[in-house]
Amino acid sequence: MSERWFRAPGRVNLIGDHTDYNEGFVLPLAIDLSCTVRARARADGIVHLRSLDLEGAVELAADGSTEPADVKAVWGRYAAGVLRTLAARGRPAAGMDAVVSSTIPLGAGLSSSAALSVSLALALNDAAGFELPLLDLARACQEAEQVALGVPVGIMDQLASLAGKRGHALLIDCRSLEVEPTPLPRELAILVVHTGVSRALVDSGYAERRQACETVAARLELRSLRDATPAQVADEPRARHVVSENARVLEAARALEAGDIAALGPLLTASHQSLRDDFEVSTHELDTLVLALLEAGAPGARLTGAGFGGCVLALASRDAAAAIVETATRRYRSRTGHEPQAFVFSAVDGAGAIPHAP
Ligand code: GLA
């Protein structure tokens, strides 16, 4: 049987963190780092996967009956989760042999796990001659991550990986799941710097934060914090972050549309302060890196993703980006002793089948 290749990009979130599971707004873009799956259908109801980057091959039942927690390799648990949630949506139990490889650093807040789940889901559906609409696929991959690790993640990462559009950020309404691509100005560099300190969602306070948000929404008798007003949450720091962040996302999307880069910087920095002080998901390293980037001349900087480690995102004009990175990473290194890693990302198209490499 012929080999088929699938690619799913990671994502970076321009602004709007910890808003997706509150049915709020996010503004991510799919990035030019990705997970690739090279797959061949097989006839015996077994899914055999090998990773080029991570240890251990995994063998799973194609009908989704393998319990994710029973899989030794953590990356294999995501695969078991994907098989389970696709089976629940009617995917026939077709087998597959596949090799997985990824260029996305793990635990960096760049959605290496969503890219893995999405690329595997595309390959598995293809091997079974099965199709799902994009939103159902995103939901299946979101649920897969929830069953794989028991962390109640939102839908931003999977949807961004699937719906990415070259040259665009995506304004996503996480209630209606409407995705509105917004062009990124050409002169804008999307600068991302890894603190060198990874985080694991499992042992981070992610679930605790989500619970805190839901508790406030229930007390206010609201379906979600999406519907809360600033006055209603004035004395609730966690909820206050969500409400103020939603407003910042919408403002940032308007600024992008108008090509008003100057207006974006302060919104990003305000987002960081809110994630640090109200939502309390920042770390010493993230704060130090944000400060170093601002000192070096970035108009705005913030932690991006779940927090608790991982990456900082900063804006810069393309001309200034290299000098800002140079100064900021030097200062960060000398202040923390950690080795930062810098990227300048382009926004790419969402996941899909790709031609074989030559
Ligand atoms: C992780 C989750 C997302 C989202 C972000 C925080 O990346 O997977 O659903 O909640 O954290 O914005």
Side-chain angles (χ1 to χ4, degrees):
M1 274 180 219
S2 71
E3 191 175 73
R4 301 260 289 145
W5 289 31
F6 298 86
R7 169 202 136 273
R11 67 95 189 93
V12 70
N13 192 16
L14 269 188
I15 190 162
D17 274 311
H18 294 280
T19 46
D20 63 349
Y21 54 80
N22 291 298
E23 297 188 313
F25 299 96
V26 294
L27 192 60
L29 51 126
I31 56 173
D32 42 342
L33 294 178
S34 58
C35 183
T36 304
V37 174
R38 293 186 261 158
R40 263 176 221 279
R42 61 187 259 178
D44 62 357
I46 299 278
V47 171
H48 185 273
L49 305 172
R50 193 162 61 81
S51 162
L52 291 185
D53 321 292
L54 302 167
E55 266 185 41
V58 295
E59 199 159 283
L60 308 164
D63 62 3
S65 59
T66 307
E67 185 57 51
D70 293 344
V71 181
K72 222 163 121 210
V74 173
W75 67 271
R77 290 181 202 161
Y78 289 105
V82 170
L83 274 164
R84 177 156 291 187
T85 59
L86 291 180
R89 285 167 171 79
R91 178 188 178 272
M96 180 176 91
D97 272 323
V99 178
V100 179
S101 61
S102 181
T103 54
I104 311 169
L106 305 183
L110 300 176
S111 294
S112 58
S113 54
L116 172 65
S117 305
V118 168
S119 53
L120 278 173
L122 289 173
L124 285 165
N125 282 351
D126 182 72
F130 181 66
E131 269 189 58
L132 281 175
L134 187 140
L135 286 183
D136 291 351
L137 198 54
R139 280 203 198 88
C141 291
Q142 174 196 14
E143 275 171 44
E145 293 200 35
Q146 296 178 339
V147 302
L149 295 192
V151 181
V153 293
I155 200 164
M156 163 168 67
D157 306 350
Q158 299 76 17
L159 193 47
S161 180
L162 279 161
K165 183 166 176 199
R166 187 164 181 242
H168 291 67
L170 310 170
L171 174 61
I172 304 177
D173 177 335
C174 296
R175 172 169 279 169
S176 66
L177 298 187
E178 200 181 316
V179 179
E180 198 182 311
T182 309
L184 289 162
R186 275 190 191 286
E187 65 275 24
L188 185 70
I190 308 289
L191 206 66
V192 173
V193 188
H194 191 343
T195 54
V197 183
S198 302
R199 58 112 184 97
L201 277 186
V202 204
D203 44 47
S204 72
Y206 188 93
E208 185 269 327
R209 294 301 188 283
R210 182 169 180 157
Q211 183 59 53
C213 292
E214 285 166 3
T215 303
V216 177
R219 199 184 318 128
L220 293 171
E221 295 181 8
L222 298 172
R223 172 173 149 173
S224 71
L225 287 181
R226 157 74 171 264
D227 300 317
T229 63
Q232 281 176 310
V233 297
D235 299 323
E236 303 274 2
R238 303 285 190 255
R240 198 164 61 207
H241 162 72
V242 175
V243 173
S244 67
E245 185 82 345
N246 276 333
R248 281 186 292 270
V249 175
L250 294 177
E251 224 182 299
R254 277 195 295 271
L256 263 191
E257 261 161 45
D260 185 359
I261 299 178
L264 278 175
L267 291 168
L268 261 65
T269 306
S271 166
H272 182 76
Q273 286 160 355
S274 177
L275 286 160
R276 180 192 64 198
D277 301 337
D278 280 355
F279 217 66
E280 294 186 278
V281 291
S282 192
T283 62
H284 169 66
E285 289 80 13
L286 288 164
D287 292 343
T288 307
L289 188 50
V290 164
L291 185 65
L293 283 157
L294 294 174
E295 283 172 358
R302 61 184 288 272
L303 74 84
T304 180
F308 308 104
C311 286
V312 162
L313 171 133
L315 294 181
S317 68
R318 288 210 176 265
D319 302 341
I324 290 175
V325 167
E326 222 285 305
T327 309
T329 53
R330 186 164 22 82
R331 287 192 188 155
Y332 173 77
R333 197 181 292 117
S334 82
R335 289 173 189 171
T336 64
H338 291 292
E339 190 52 46
Q341 191 187 2
F343 307 88
V344 176
F345 289 132
S346 301
V348 302
D349 283 330
I354 51 168
H356 293 197

mmCIF file of all heavy atoms in Angstrom, residues 80-115:
data_model
loop_
_atom_site.group_PDB
_atom_site.id
_atom_site.type_symbol
_atom_site.label_atom_id
_atom_site.label_comp_id
_atom_site.label_asym_id
_atom_site.label_seq_id
_atom_site.Cartn_x
_atom_site.Cartn_y
_atom_site.Cartn_z
ATOM 1 N N ALA A 80 -3.490 6.928 21.455
ATOM 2 C CA ALA A 80 -4.589 6.094 21.942
ATOM 3 C C ALA A 80 -5.840 6.951 22.146
ATOM 4 O O ALA A 80 -6.964 6.517 21.866
ATOM 5 C CB ALA A 80 -4.185 5.409 23.249
ATOM 6 N N GLY A 81 -5.637 8.179 22.631
ATOM 7 C CA GLY A 81 -6.764 9.100 22.819
ATOM 8 C C GLY A 81 -7.423 9.438 21.487
ATOM 9 O O GLY A 81 -8.647 9.436 21.363
ATOM 10 N N VAL A 82 -6.596 9.697 20.479
ATOM 11 C CA VAL A 82 -7.139 10.037 19.153
ATOM 12 C C VAL A 82 -7.937 8.858 18.592
ATOM 13 O O VAL A 82 -9.052 9.018 18.080
ATOM 14 C CB VAL A 82 -5.993 10.424 18.182
ATOM 15 C CG1 VAL A 82 -6.502 10.535 16.748
ATOM 16 C CG2 VAL A 82 -5.359 11.751 18.610
ATOM 17 N N LEU A 83 -7.381 7.646 18.720
ATOM 18 C CA LEU A 83 -8.095 6.465 18.219
ATOM 19 C C LEU A 83 -9.445 6.324 18.906
ATOM 20 O O LEU A 83 -10.458 6.011 18.276
ATOM 21 C CB LEU A 83 -7.251 5.208 18.473
ATOM 22 C CG LEU A 83 -6.242 4.908 17.372
ATOM 23 C CD1 LEU A 83 -5.199 3.912 17.852
ATOM 24 C CD2 LEU A 83 -6.970 4.374 16.133
ATOM 25 N N ARG A 84 -9.459 6.577 20.194
ATOM 26 C CA ARG A 84 -10.694 6.430 20.962
ATOM 27 C C ARG A 84 -11.750 7.451 20.527
ATOM 28 O O ARG A 84 -12.902 7.105 20.287
ATOM 29 C CB ARG A 84 -10.375 6.601 22.449
ATOM 30 C CG ARG A 84 -11.582 6.531 23.309
ATOM 31 C CD ARG A 84 -11.241 6.128 24.701
ATOM 32 N NE ARG A 84 -10.801 4.739 24.763
ATOM 33 C CZ ARG A 84 -10.578 4.098 25.897
ATOM 34 N NH1 ARG A 84 -10.717 4.724 27.045
ATOM 35 N NH2 ARG A 84 -10.208 2.846 25.897
ATOM 36 N N THR A 85 -11.339 8.724 20.409
ATOM 37 C CA THR A 85 -12.349 9.748 20.096
ATOM 38 C C THR A 85 -12.784 9.670 18.624
ATOM 39 O O THR A 85 -13.903 10.042 18.303
ATOM 40 C CB THR A 85 -11.849 11.169 20.441
ATOM 41 O OG1 THR A 85 -10.660 11.454 19.707
ATOM 42 C CG2 THR A 85 -11.562 11.311 21.922
ATOM 43 N N LEU A 86 -11.910 9.167 17.746
ATOM 44 C CA LEU A 86 -12.334 8.982 16.351
ATOM 45 C C LEU A 86 -13.287 7.793 16.255
ATOM 46 O O LEU A 86 -14.293 7.843 15.538
ATOM 47 C CB LEU A 86 -11.128 8.767 15.428
ATOM 48 C CG LEU A 86 -10.213 9.983 15.203
ATOM 49 C CD1 LEU A 86 -9.058 9.619 14.270
ATOM 50 C CD2 LEU A 86 -10.991 11.177 14.644
ATOM 51 N N ALA A 87 -12.974 6.725 17.009
ATOM 52 C CA ALA A 87 -13.859 5.549 16.993
ATOM 53 C C ALA A 87 -15.252 5.956 17.476
ATOM 54 O O ALA A 87 -16.272 5.526 16.918
ATOM 55 C CB ALA A 87 -13.279 4.441 17.871
ATOM 56 N N ALA A 88 -15.290 6.803 18.492
ATOM 57 C CA ALA A 88 -16.591 7.254 19.027
ATOM 58 C C ALA A 88 -17.376 8.046 17.980
ATOM 59 O O ALA A 88 -18.589 8.171 18.073
ATOM 60 C CB ALA A 88 -16.370 8.118 20.270
ATOM 61 N N ARG A 89 -16.674 8.587 16.982
ATOM 62 C CA ARG A 89 -17.353 9.355 15.926
ATOM 63 C C ARG A 89 -17.576 8.505 14.674
ATOM 64 O O ARG A 89 -17.929 9.046 13.622
ATOM 65 C CB ARG A 89 -16.533 10.597 15.583
ATOM 66 C CG ARG A 89 -16.672 11.669 16.666
ATOM 67 C CD ARG A 89 -15.644 12.766 16.530
ATOM 68 N NE ARG A 89 -15.931 13.860 17.446
ATOM 69 C CZ ARG A 89 -15.646 13.849 18.758
ATOM 70 N NH1 ARG A 89 -15.072 12.792 19.298
ATOM 71 N NH2 ARG A 89 -15.955 14.879 19.525
ATOM 72 N N GLY A 90 -17.308 7.201 14.790
ATOM 73 C CA GLY A 90 -17.659 6.302 13.694
ATOM 74 C C GLY A 90 -16.524 5.874 12.781
ATOM 75 O O GLY A 90 -16.760 5.260 11.744
ATOM 76 N N ARG A 91 -15.280 6.179 13.155
ATOM 77 C CA ARG A 91 -14.173 5.741 12.306
ATOM 78 C C ARG A 91 -14.093 4.219 12.307
ATOM 79 O O ARG A 91 -14.041 3.601 13.375
ATOM 80 C CB ARG A 91 -12.848 6.324 12.814
ATOM 81 C CG ARG A 91 -11.642 5.863 12.013
ATOM 82 C CD ARG A 91 -10.321 6.277 12.642
ATOM 83 N NE ARG A 91 -9.206 5.761 11.863
ATOM 84 C CZ ARG A 91 -8.651 4.548 12.041
ATOM 85 N NH1 ARG A 91 -9.088 3.743 12.979
ATOM 86 N NH2 ARG A 91 -7.660 4.152 11.271
ATOM 87 N N PRO A 92 -14.057 3.591 11.125
ATOM 88 C CA PRO A 92 -13.892 2.135 11.085
ATOM 89 C C PRO A 92 -12.528 1.729 11.661
ATOM 90 O O PRO A 92 -11.576 2.514 11.601
ATOM 91 C CB PRO A 92 -13.954 1.793 9.593
ATOM 92 C CG PRO A 92 -14.505 3.004 8.909
ATOM 93 C CD PRO A 92 -14.170 4.177 9.776
ATOM 94 N N ALA A 93 -12.431 0.511 12.209
ATOM 95 C CA ALA A 93 -11.213 0.075 12.915
ATOM 96 C C ALA A 93 -10.111 -0.357 11.945
ATOM 97 O O ALA A 93 -9.645 -1.499 11.980
ATOM 98 C CB ALA A 93 -11.560 -1.055 13.873
ATOM 99 N N ALA A 94 -9.682 0.555 11.089
ATOM 100 C CA ALA A 94 -8.631 0.227 10.117
ATOM 101 C C ALA A 94 -7.251 0.411 10.746
ATOM 102 O O ALA A 94 -7.019 1.382 11.459
ATOM 103 C CB ALA A 94 -8.780 1.128 8.894
ATOM 104 N N GLY A 95 -6.337 -0.526 10.435
ATOM 105 C CA GLY A 95 -4.979 -0.463 10.983
ATOM 106 C C GLY A 95 -4.080 0.492 10.198
ATOM 107 O O GLY A 95 -4.433 0.966 9.119
ATOM 108 N N MET A 96 -2.910 0.773 10.782
ATOM 109 C CA MET A 96 -1.984 1.713 10.117
ATOM 110 C C MET A 96 -0.577 1.508 10.686
ATOM 111 O O MET A 96 -0.413 1.255 11.874
ATOM 112 C CB MET A 96 -2.465 3.138 10.411
ATOM 113 C CG MET A 96 -1.637 4.239 9.797
ATOM 114 S SD MET A 96 -2.368 5.878 10.132
ATOM 115 C CE MET A 96 -1.553 6.332 11.662
ATOM 116 N N ASP A 97 0.413 1.635 9.821
ATOM 117 C CA ASP A 97 1.818 1.714 10.247
ATOM 118 C C ASP A 97 2.251 3.139 10.018
ATOM 119 O O ASP A 97 2.021 3.664 8.925
ATOM 120 C CB ASP A 97 2.694 0.830 9.346
ATOM 121 C CG ASP A 97 2.769 -0.590 9.847
ATOM 122 O OD1 ASP A 97 2.812 -0.781 11.079
ATOM 123 O OD2 ASP A 97 2.775 -1.502 8.993
ATOM 124 N N ALA A 98 2.888 3.764 11.019
ATOM 125 C CA ALA A 98 3.288 5.151 10.766
ATOM 126 C C ALA A 98 4.545 5.530 11.517
ATOM 127 O O ALA A 98 4.858 4.979 12.572
ATOM 128 C CB ALA A 98 2.157 6.104 11.129
ATOM 129 N N VAL A 99 5.253 6.483 10.946
ATOM 130 C CA VAL A 99 6.427 7.068 11.579
ATOM 131 C C VAL A 99 6.114 8.544 11.817
ATOM 132 O O VAL A 99 5.648 9.240 10.920
ATOM 133 C CB VAL A 99 7.668 6.931 10.670
ATOM 134 C CG1 VAL A 99 8.875 7.586 11.308
ATOM 135 C CG2 VAL A 99 7.945 5.467 10.378
ATOM 136 N N VAL A 100 6.365 8.980 13.065
ATOM 137 C CA VAL A 100 6.012 10.344 13.466
ATOM 138 C C VAL A 100 7.296 11.122 13.721
ATOM 139 O O VAL A 100 8.222 10.606 14.358
ATOM 140 C CB VAL A 100 5.209 10.280 14.797
ATOM 141 C CG1 VAL A 100 4.843 11.667 15.276
ATOM 142 C CG2 VAL A 100 3.969 9.416 14.640
ATOM 143 N N SER A 101 7.361 12.360 13.236
ATOM 144 C CA SER A 101 8.507 13.195 13.594
ATOM 145 C C SER A 101 8.032 14.631 13.726
ATOM 146 O O SER A 101 7.050 15.037 13.104
ATOM 147 C CB SER A 101 9.612 13.096 12.548
ATOM 148 O OG SER A 101 9.119 13.539 11.315
ATOM 149 N N SER A 102 8.708 15.395 14.586
ATOM 150 C CA SER A 102 8.233 16.745 14.860
ATOM 151 C C SER A 102 9.390 17.718 15.019
ATOM 152 O O SER A 102 10.458 17.353 15.512
ATOM 153 C CB SER A 102 7.400 16.724 16.144
ATOM 154 O OG SER A 102 6.913 18.016 16.429
ATOM 155 N N THR A 103 9.164 18.961 14.601
ATOM 156 C CA THR A 103 10.183 20.001 14.797
ATOM 157 C C THR A 103 9.766 20.957 15.928
ATOM 158 O O THR A 103 10.434 21.955 16.164
ATOM 159 C CB THR A 103 10.375 20.818 13.504
ATOM 160 O OG1 THR A 103 9.086 21.308 13.080
ATOM 161 C CG2 THR A 103 10.975 19.988 12.391
ATOM 162 N N ILE A 104 8.654 20.651 16.608
ATOM 163 C CA ILE A 104 8.133 21.558 17.640
ATOM 164 C C ILE A 104 8.720 21.170 19.006
ATOM 165 O O ILE A 104 8.561 20.025 19.428
ATOM 166 C CB ILE A 104 6.596 21.471 17.721
ATOM 167 C CG1 ILE A 104 5.981 21.594 16.318
ATOM 168 C CG2 ILE A 104 6.039 22.530 18.673
ATOM 169 C CD1 ILE A 104 4.502 21.255 16.265
ATOM 170 N N PRO A 105 9.376 22.114 19.694
ATOM 171 C CA PRO A 105 9.911 21.736 21.014
ATOM 172 C C PRO A 105 8.780 21.366 21.981
ATOM 173 O O PRO A 105 7.713 21.963 21.945
ATOM 174 C CB PRO A 105 10.638 23.008 21.481
ATOM 175 C CG PRO A 105 10.205 24.112 20.583
ATOM 176 C CD PRO A 105 9.660 23.504 19.331
ATOM 177 N N LEU A 106 9.027 20.361 22.816
ATOM 178 C CA LEU A 106 8.002 19.894 23.762
ATOM 179 C C LEU A 106 7.927 20.830 24.967
ATOM 180 O O LEU A 106 8.938 21.370 25.394
ATOM 181 C CB LEU A 106 8.350 18.489 24.284
ATOM 182 C CG LEU A 106 8.573 17.402 23.240
ATOM 183 C CD1 LEU A 106 8.832 16.059 23.925
ATOM 184 C CD2 LEU A 106 7.365 17.294 22.316
ATOM 185 N N GLY A 107 6.721 20.994 25.491
ATOM 186 C CA GLY A 107 6.551 21.773 26.721
ATOM 187 C C GLY A 107 6.924 23.231 26.569
ATOM 188 O O GLY A 107 7.236 23.918 27.539
ATOM 189 N N ALA A 108 6.876 23.742 25.325
ATOM 190 C CA ALA A 108 7.276 25.126 25.080
ATOM 191 C C ALA A 108 6.072 26.048 24.973
ATOM 192 O O ALA A 108 6.222 27.254 24.872
ATOM 193 C CB ALA A 108 8.096 25.202 23.796
ATOM 194 N N GLY A 109 4.855 25.478 24.958
ATOM 195 C CA GLY A 109 3.665 26.296 24.748
ATOM 196 C C GLY A 109 3.428 26.559 23.267
ATOM 197 O O GLY A 109 2.755 27.511 22.894
ATOM 198 N N LEU A 110 3.988 25.690 22.402
ATOM 199 C CA LEU A 110 3.805 25.857 20.954
ATOM 200 C C LEU A 110 2.960 24.726 20.366
ATOM 201 O O LEU A 110 2.957 24.492 19.167
ATOM 202 C CB LEU A 110 5.176 25.938 20.254
ATOM 203 C CG LEU A 110 6.062 27.108 20.711
ATOM 204 C CD1 LEU A 110 7.439 27.046 20.045
ATOM 205 C CD2 LEU A 110 5.399 28.454 20.413
ATOM 206 N N SER A 111 2.256 24.014 21.249
ATOM 207 C CA SER A 111 1.275 23.003 20.845
ATOM 208 C C SER A 111 1.860 21.808 20.107
ATOM 209 O O SER A 111 1.309 21.349 19.098
ATOM 210 C CB SER A 111 0.163 23.631 19.995
ATOM 211 O OG SER A 111 -0.562 24.507 20.771
ATOM 212 N N SER A 112 2.954 21.282 20.644
ATOM 213 C CA SER A 112 3.506 20.061 20.054
ATOM 214 C C SER A 112 2.492 18.922 20.161
ATOM 215 O O SER A 112 2.376 18.102 19.248
ATOM 216 C CB SER A 112 4.805 19.675 20.757
ATOM 217 O OG SER A 112 4.578 19.497 22.136
ATOM 218 N N SER A 113 1.723 18.873 21.248
ATOM 219 C CA SER A 113 0.790 17.757 21.413
ATOM 220 C C SER A 113 -0.422 17.894 20.488
ATOM 221 O O SER A 113 -0.890 16.901 19.935
ATOM 222 C CB SER A 113 0.362 17.613 22.871
ATOM 223 O OG SER A 113 -0.153 18.826 23.342
ATOM 224 N N ALA A 114 -0.903 19.125 20.292
ATOM 225 C CA ALA A 114 -2.029 19.296 19.367
ATOM 226 C C ALA A 114 -1.588 18.924 17.949
ATOM 227 O O ALA A 114 -2.329 18.276 17.207
ATOM 228 C CB ALA A 114 -2.535 20.731 19.398
ATOM 229 N N ALA A 115 -0.355 19.299 17.573
ATOM 230 C CA ALA A 115 0.139 18.968 16.231
ATOM 231 C C ALA A 115 0.250 17.454 16.061
ATOM 232 O O ALA A 115 -0.074 16.904 15.002
ATOM 233 C CB ALA A 115 1.484 19.637 15.989
#
